[in-house]
Amino acid sequence: MHTVYRLTLADALIMLEAAEAEAERIGVRETLCISDEGAHPIALHRMTGARLTGVEIAIAKAFTAAGHQRATHLFNEPPNGPALPGNEAFGIQQTHPGRFAVFVGGFPIVHQGQVVGGVGVSGGNGEQDKAVGAAALAAFESKIAGSAAN
């Protein structure tokens, strides 16, 4: 028997709130997406002033992180990023055109070794998107730790 963990809307809203707070703190307007383990969006938030194009990009990043179970920036991180030219997964983003993102801003959400969803962040530079994604993941971990203590 295998236990399956699922994110709830309440989990997603906690992550969005923390991500938005970090984006505000560092002065960037982001679009944020939280997906479930099947890579389907649970919650999407485009901050006031964030680019319109960020919606589809954030969804694609969350889709990729959850569906492929890895942070999206790892695909192109030199020297061995699998999606870099000449490496084994070069062109992988063409397998799901418009939905598979191989650049920074997508992060898997992991609970007890199981990928339970993805975070997609779009609107800042790579370091800003990483910081905002890290805030979302930290909020989830904090919520889980608080739940376990009760």
Side-chain angles (χ1 to χ4, degrees):
M1 189 65 65
H2 181 73
T3 301
V4 176
Y5 297 100
R6 292 244 161 90
L7 292 176
T8 65
L9 178 58
D11 297 327
L13 293 175
I14 287 167
M15 288 185 274
L16 288 182
E17 183 179 336
E20 181 173 19
E22 179 63 10
E24 291 281 357
R25 187 187 75 74
I26 63 176
V28 63
R29 299 288 174 227
E30 300 272 20
T31 299
L32 313 159
C33 180
I34 308 296
S35 72
D36 64 16
E37 77 285 357
H40 302 287
I42 296 174
L44 177 71
H45 175 56
R46 186 172 68 87
M47 294 174 64
T48 302
R51 293 182 208 118
L52 296 175
T53 55
V55 171
E56 293 302 321
I57 295 168
I59 292 170
K61 290 177 179 183
F63 171 87
T64 304
H68 214 70
Q69 304 182 347
R70 72 180 334 167
T72 56
H73 66 274
L74 297 177
F75 284 99
N76 281 320
E77 204 166 76
N80 297 316
L84 289 170
N87 288 350
E88 64 186 14
F90 179 67
I92 193 171
Q93 67 274 18
Q94 299 307 314
T95 61
H96 295 279
R99 296 191 70 198
F100 203 98
V102 296
F103 49 96
V104 69
F107 311 91
I109 304 166
V110 181
H111 178 64
Q112 295 194 1
Q114 207 178 103
V115 174
V116 296
V119 176
V121 181
S122 178
N125 63 36
E127 291 307 310
Q128 291 167 326
D129 286 359
K130 281 183 179 179
V132 171
L137 295 174
F140 177 70
E141 289 299 321
S142 181
K143 183 210 184 259
I144 295 301
S147 297
N150 294 331

